[in-house]
Amino acid sequence: MIIENREPEFIREIKSNKTLVQKNNDHIFYGHGKLLLTGEYFVLDGAKSLALPTTVGQSLSVKYSPSFSPKLYWKSFDVAGNLWFETIYEFWRFEITKENPSPEELVLQKVLRQARKQNPHFLRDDIDVHVETHLGFPIEWGLGSSSTLVHNMAQWAYISPFELQFETYGGSGYDVACAQSEGPIFYSKNTNGPKWSPTIFDPKFSDNLYFVYRGKKQDSRKAIEYYNSLRPIDPGIILSISDITNEISKTNSLKEFEFLIGAHEKIIGKTLDLRPVKDELFSNFWGEVKSLGAWGGDFVLVTSDRSSTETKKYFNDKGYDVFIPYNDLILKTVKKDLTNEYLH
């Protein structure tokens, strides 16, 4: 078990292969979490990346009731089932009904207003709306509490999740693509917008792969700002990252995989003048360690040709208690007729 997951039963019923359930005019939506295996930072400039939807995600349920003074009542619950966020909005401009709103309330207000901008008919009826969100992972893990919200909101409002993401949170959009995917995907973004496609990535050595949480959530916006300050990026670097992504997606050799992610780390580190995480924290580790997403926080990918027990002990002894086998966290491609060809 990754964590004691107290998701309501209705989430477990829909998360296998459905993103929307409608019962008695109420709605339930679900989006998967994400991890970016290759292409961090450079995906913003068109590099081909390999992204991994997770087995855990977030649901959004909506219930409606008649009202003469319609309001939106919002409650968010964490992975343990505890209420961590609650607020109320009026309908016409999504004004917050209390004074001194929190940063979380203001961000959600921005998302709601952007959804209304994309769909002027969104939430225009004389009804009260009661929304509940339920996370399937600790919010500090950085697995996509925002992107799954954007995905679910877009499904509810019948709008583009990518436009909603770009106009609110920003970023490359790979996390939104993961939210609606049922297995690994190739993803890139250029001036023409996002481009993504499902792929098969189920390496024979997946039992040798693990995820370790570093214990702090990285600020993706600041990481992107730093990357943007280094532009323009050499097109040859973008090509190299894309080539590594292609090779990683095809290899069934642990040693080759380790060589490729090591090369990937060196390119990122040299280009951004950042120290690879293995050099910084795990220099005596026998396998490879790769940063995922914005460097400096969240999860790292670990490879090991030794037992799971010995590998886990190494990281536990260094104070890293969240140690998750790859196969427990990552969705595998369901369809068997896919190829690794990048779809255009």
Side-chain angles (χ1 to χ4, degrees):
M1 293 291 292
I2 297 172
I3 191 169
E4 184 181 356
N5 193 332
R6 299 181 183 177
E7 292 175 328
E9 181 63 30
F10 68 79
I11 300 177
R12 293 191 290 272
E13 291 177 356
I14 68 171
K15 66 190 296 184
S16 60
N17 59 7
K18 297 180 181 179
T19 56
L20 165 63
V21 171
Q22 183 170 341
K23 296 180 180 180
N24 301 323
N25 296 320
D26 297 333
H27 294 90
I28 304 169
F29 306 89
Y30 184 83
H32 294 289
K34 51 71 182 180
L35 284 169
L36 189 64
L37 183 59
T38 69
E40 62 266 26
Y41 297 99
F42 300 104
V43 66
L44 294 164
D45 281 310
K48 183 177 179 180
S49 64
L50 181 58
L52 308 174
T54 63
T55 56
V56 290
Q58 181 172 207
S59 71
L60 184 151
S61 62
V62 188
K63 293 184 178 181
Y64 306 94
S65 60
S67 175
F68 293 106
S69 180
K71 291 182 175 61
L72 171 60
Y73 299 85
W74 193 288
K75 293 183 177 181
S76 295
F77 296 86
D78 64 18
V79 67
N82 299 315
L83 180 68
W84 71 271
F85 173 77
E86 183 176 14
T87 191
I88 301 173
Y89 299 90
E90 58 82 30
F91 261 22
W92 310 120
R93 286 184 48 79
F94 297 117
E95 297 291 352
I96 301 165
T97 60
K98 69 177 184 181
E99 296 182 359
N100 301 318
S102 67
E104 291 82 6
E105 288 174 306
L106 294 173
V107 169
L108 180 56
Q109 181 186 62
K110 184 178 181 181
V111 173
L112 289 164
R113 287 177 172 175
Q114 178 61 32
R116 172 75 62 75
K117 182 177 181 181
Q118 291 178 230
N119 179 3
H121 301 290
F122 177 55
L123 295 184
R124 290 290 195 183
D125 298 324
D126 291 332
I127 52 176
D128 280 339
V129 177
H130 298 263
V131 174
E132 288 189 4
T133 66
H134 291 263
L135 274 172
F137 53 86
I139 193 170
E140 66 271 13
W141 280 9
L143 291 182
S145 56
S146 299
S147 55
T148 51
L149 172 65
V150 165
H151 164 75
N152 292 337
M153 284 287 298
Q155 297 300 300
W156 179 25
Y158 296 99
I159 59 177
S160 163
F162 293 103
E163 183 178 350
L164 183 60
Q165 173 81 352
F166 298 150
E167 295 297 328
T168 53
Y169 292 98
S172 70
Y174 89 89
D175 44 3
V176 171
C178 282
Q180 57 191 293
S181 298
E182 295 298 330
I185 61 171
F186 287 134
Y187 184 90
S188 66
K189 180 178 182 289
N190 54 35
T191 55
N192 295 323
K195 181 172 64 173
W196 60 283
S197 63
T199 187
I200 295 173
F201 180 69
D202 187 17
K204 294 180 180 178
F205 50 84
S206 60
D207 288 340
N208 301 106
L209 305 181
Y210 307 91
F211 296 104
V212 176
Y213 180 60
R214 289 189 56 181
K216 57 181 179 179
K217 194 177 188 317
Q218 181 71 331
D219 189 330
S220 298
R221 291 186 181 183
K222 289 184 178 179
I224 291 173
E225 288 175 2
Y226 172 68
Y227 174 78
N228 288 339
S229 71
L230 301 177
R231 282 175 165 152
I233 302 298
D234 182 352
I237 294 174
I238 303 298
L239 182 60
S240 295
I241 294 294
S242 298
D243 288 343
I244 290 175
T245 294
N246 285 327
E247 294 304 312
I248 282 179
S249 71
K250 294 183 291 186
T251 185
N252 276 309
S253 163
L254 177 61
K255 290 300 181 184
E256 182 180 6
F257 181 81
E258 290 177 328
F259 171 79
L260 290 167
I261 63 174
H264 193 289
E265 287 283 280
K266 289 178 181 177
I267 292 173
I268 302 291
K270 182 178 180 180
T271 306
L272 303 187
D273 194 24
L274 297 173
R275 193 178 182 191
V277 64
K278 182 177 179 180
D279 295 346
E280 180 182 3
L281 298 174
F282 311 112
S283 59
N284 63 341
F285 181 62
W286 54 86
E288 282 295 334
V289 183
K290 184 188 181 302
S291 293
L292 302 172
W295 281 27
D298 298 338
F299 281 89
V300 294
L301 174 74
V302 170
T303 72
S304 176
D305 58 4
R306 303 187 188 180
S307 71
S308 175
T309 301
E310 184 178 359
T311 307
K312 181 178 181 180
K313 183 178 184 303
Y314 173 90
F315 290 97
N316 288 171
D317 288 346
K318 287 184 172 291
Y320 300 96
D321 297 326
V322 179
F323 180 89
I324 306 173
Y326 176 95
N327 292 322
D328 285 353
L329 189 58
I330 301 304
L331 279 176
K332 295 184 178 180
T333 305
V334 176
K335 296 181 179 180
K336 301 301 183 182
D337 58 345
L338 299 175
T339 69
N340 278 332
E341 181 180 358
Y342 193 39
L343 305 178
H344 295 275

